[in-house]
Amino acid sequence: MNGLGGTGPQGIEWASAEEFAERVLDLRSNEKAWSRHLGDTLLRAQDLADDGQVEKAKQELISFRDNCPWIFFADIAVTQLENMGD
């Protein structure tokens, strides 16, 4: 995600407190959306695995892992993938 500034000593200067608050709310909204997407992906993958379609289930998890910008959520998909024997 862009917009939080650099990691150097100067970082980023915000135009206003409102701009900063808006950015934080945007990030939180994005995090919630990816959390829901993770839940949906885990359920879909489990349903596929239960139906004997393990490779399709793994592909669901791999796709999520490769596209999710939130490392914590991507790591959960990796753990589920490892639990399926990958």
Side-chain angles (χ1 to χ4, degrees):
M1 304 276 329
N2 293 328
L4 289 181
T7 57
Q10 292 181 358
I12 190 169
E13 290 187 30
W14 297 95
S16 66
E18 290 80 16
E19 179 186 356
F20 176 76
E22 183 179 324
R23 180 57 53 132
V24 170
L25 291 173
D26 288 347
L27 286 169
R28 182 66 182 124
S29 177
N30 183 275
E31 179 191 30
K32 282 182 179 182
W34 278 100
S35 177
R36 283 189 298 273
H37 184 41
L38 172 62
D40 292 344
T41 299
L42 294 175
L43 290 172
R44 230 178 2 264
Q46 188 61 55
D47 287 345
L48 287 167
D50 290 348
D51 287 341
Q53 300 179 60
V54 176
E55 288 307 312
K56 274 189 164 183
K58 288 180 180 181
Q59 285 305 313
E60 289 279 335
L61 294 166
I62 290 168
S63 177
F64 182 89
R65 177 201 65 196
D66 291 349
N67 291 294
C68 181
W70 295 92
I71 293 171
F72 176 74
F73 297 144
D75 285 347
I76 292 170
V78 169
T79 298
Q80 289 303 109
L81 188 60
E82 289 169 354
N83 289 340
M84 289 186 174
D86 190 55

